[in-house]
Amino acid sequence: MTHTAFQPGDRVVLPPYGIGVVQGTCQRPVGGHDQAYYQVTFANTSSRAYVPVAAPEGAGLRAALTAGDMPALLASLSSSTLNLPRQWAARHRRVAEILASGDPFELAVLTCELRRWNVQRGLPDLDRQALRRAIRLLEQEVSGLQDGEAERVQQLLVTAWNESPQE
């Protein structure tokens, strides 16, 4: 199994905690043997996580989006569709899976679909909460990126946050 080697200073995502920065690696004893771990810290908190160097994907650790990912993310936010179940329990399960995955492109598709629903007919409270959670997760990923596409993504997210149903 292959994995990505992260370097100190790399921006990473660790669902459900969000964006963090790799501070370095350290050795920690587990079962009588020292194991190597990435030490990840999260902005504006005192939280830190230790993720096994041998299998970061097992914990869900992945590289954060870069400026190069912004055109695809913007396209997903603008024109994607998602066939969400109409029954609340099934929809809630699917939405929870997407939110827990932390995959930015799935979050963008979910955001696009819930935004469309919100504009067309308004959202019930739990769907509105899901939309806002997806927006917050995407805002975290895009924050700190300095390019025109990232700014357009941020503007679209602000618009989606403030939209209300059409009368």
Side-chain angles (χ1 to χ4, degrees), residues 32-115:
H33 302 293
D34 281 349
Q35 301 290 327
Y37 287 86
Y38 291 114
Q39 182 178 338
V40 181
T41 58
F42 302 93
N44 304 320
T45 72
S46 60
S47 298
R48 72 180 52 172
Y50 295 92
V51 179
V53 169
E57 62 280 345
L61 187 69
R62 65 171 174 79
L65 292 177
T66 65
D69 297 315
M70 292 302 104
L73 187 67
L74 188 57
S76 292
L77 275 168
S78 302
S79 60
S80 298
T81 59
L82 179 62
N83 189 14
L84 288 172
R86 296 292 180 196
Q87 181 195 24
W88 180 84
R91 184 173 66 250
H92 178 68
R93 239 185 334 272
R94 180 68 182 120
V95 167
E97 288 170 0
I98 293 170
L99 291 172
S101 80
D103 179 288
F105 295 99
E106 285 188 11
L107 290 169
V109 171
L110 175 66
T111 299
C112 187
E113 185 67 20
L114 291 177
R115 177 182 180 210

